[in-house]
Amino acid sequence: DDNTAFVTQTGADNTADLGQDGDDNFNETTQIGDNNSVVADQYGDNNNANLGQTGDGNSITVAQGIMGTDQGNFNTASLTQMGDDNVFD
């Protein structure tokens, strides 16, 4: 519980794959460059993900609150992508 992750990556073809299990977790990931990817998995309640990418061909995947029968409550995600051909799930 109460895990905090701050990740900053610059350049091309970077991957950030972060998993947090428990309540009150925070993930802030920033990527600058092309063809980067972020996978953020947060299981539990009151989790927050702030994910930002600048560049082309980047992707973000977020899963929050679902583990077994626990659906999670009060989770938030803020996604910002600037550039061309970016996708998020």
Side-chain angles (χ1 to χ4, degrees), residues 1-87:
D1 292 341
D2 295 322
N3 297 300
T4 300
F6 293 96
V7 177
T8 301
Q9 296 177 310
T10 60
D13 301 310
N14 293 303
T15 299
D17 189 347
L18 295 123
Q20 295 174 308
D21 186 6
D23 299 329
D24 303 309
N25 296 308
F26 180 79
N27 173 355
E28 182 172 294
T29 300
T30 302
Q31 294 178 319
I32 300 170
D34 298 333
N35 302 310
N36 295 310
S37 66
V38 176
V39 177
D41 297 322
Q42 294 178 313
Y43 303 112
D45 298 325
N46 302 312
N47 295 309
N48 187 352
N50 292 328
L51 311 174
Q53 295 174 315
T54 301
D56 300 329
N58 296 310
S59 67
I60 295 175
T61 303
V62 177
Q64 289 181 310
I66 301 171
M67 177 175 271
T69 58
D70 180 14
Q71 297 302 304
N73 295 296
F74 308 110
N75 296 307
T76 61
S78 174
L79 313 175
T80 303
Q81 292 178 309
M82 297 173 54
D84 297 322
D85 302 315
N86 297 313
V87 297

